[in-house]
Amino acid sequence: MQYKFKIAGGDFSNAGTVASSVKKILRQLNIDHAISKRIVISLYEGEVNVVAHAYSGNIDVEINNEKIKIVITDKGPGIPDIPKAMEEGFSTASPQVREMGFGAGMGLSNMKKNCDLLNITSEPGIGTVVEMITNLKSDAR
Ligand SMILES: Nc1ncnc2c1ncn2[C@@H]1O[C@H](COP(=O)(O)OP(=O)(O)O)[C@@H](O)[C@H]1O
Ligand SMILES: [Mg+2]
């Protein structure tokens, strides 16, 4: 199964809607709650990052019997130093974004913890691609 979503940068009122749609899909597929929770957390963080740090983005979700693959592609400033950005607490979020409760600098490290495979590629000035793969079968972990 394949699903596609669009996200608008700066649209904080809709941040999280893709994560909740995917949560519903996973519930309908009877995916183990603990696994589904990890997937939804990492998707939410990736989605919020597009809203907070990029101009626009696309999310592609592919689900088969074994795994879920989520690819978040955005147009934006990109991430110049990915290892630095992965550090807990590192954030370039603006004061306005922080006032809304975002920008704790824990998103990327949360994504790393909660999916089986996280791959980030980025071109400064162009955008970022975040790929997350997670096994759907509890016994495979
Ligand atoms: N999609 C993105 N586009 C550009 N920069 C990003 C993106 N995602 C993350 N970053 C950069 O990585 C930093 C750390 O991200 P994250 O751990 O999610 O923390 P936060 O979003 O709270 O700042 C961000 O502050 C930003 O500088
Ligand atoms: Mg974040």
Side-chain angles (χ1 to χ4, degrees), residues 5 11 15 25 27-28 30 32 34 46 50-51 61 66 68 70 72 77-78 95-97 105 108 110 112 117 122 137:
F5 305 90
D11 186 7
I25 292 166
R27 197 184 293 146
Q28 275 158 9
N30 270 317
D32 177 86
V50 176
V51 174
V61 179
E66 263 102 58
I68 180 167
I70 298 171
I72 307 174
Q96 293 94 307
V97 168
L108 292 175
N110 258 332
K112 179 82 189 164
L117 191 148
S122 189
K137 304 260 169 74

Side-chain angles (χ1 to χ4, degrees), residues 14-99:
N14 284 309
T17 52
V18 178
S20 30
S21 302
V22 170
K23 186 181 184 175
K24 276 182 205 139
I25 292 166
L26 295 173
R27 197 184 293 146
Q28 275 158 9
L29 292 171
N30 270 317
I31 301 304
D32 177 86
H33 272 245
I35 295 173
S36 157
K37 202 169 170 183
R38 294 166 69 232
I39 295 164
V40 172
I41 288 170
S42 22
L43 173 54
Y44 174 79
E45 292 292 355
E47 182 182 0
V48 167
N49 278 353
V50 176
V51 174
H53 307 296
Y55 313 134
S56 66
N58 282 302
I59 301 187
D60 289 287
V61 179
E62 206 180 301
I63 302 173
N64 65 28
N65 284 333
E66 263 102 58
K67 56 183 192 281
I68 180 167
K69 178 169 133 181
I70 298 171
V71 182
I72 307 174
T73 308
D74 72 52
K75 291 195 176 87
I79 306 176
D81 184 343
I82 295 171
K84 182 88 205 159
M86 299 285 311
E87 285 174 15
E88 292 187 2
F90 176 87
S91 177
T92 60
S94 66
Q96 293 94 307
V97 168
R98 284 166 199 265
E99 248 167 55

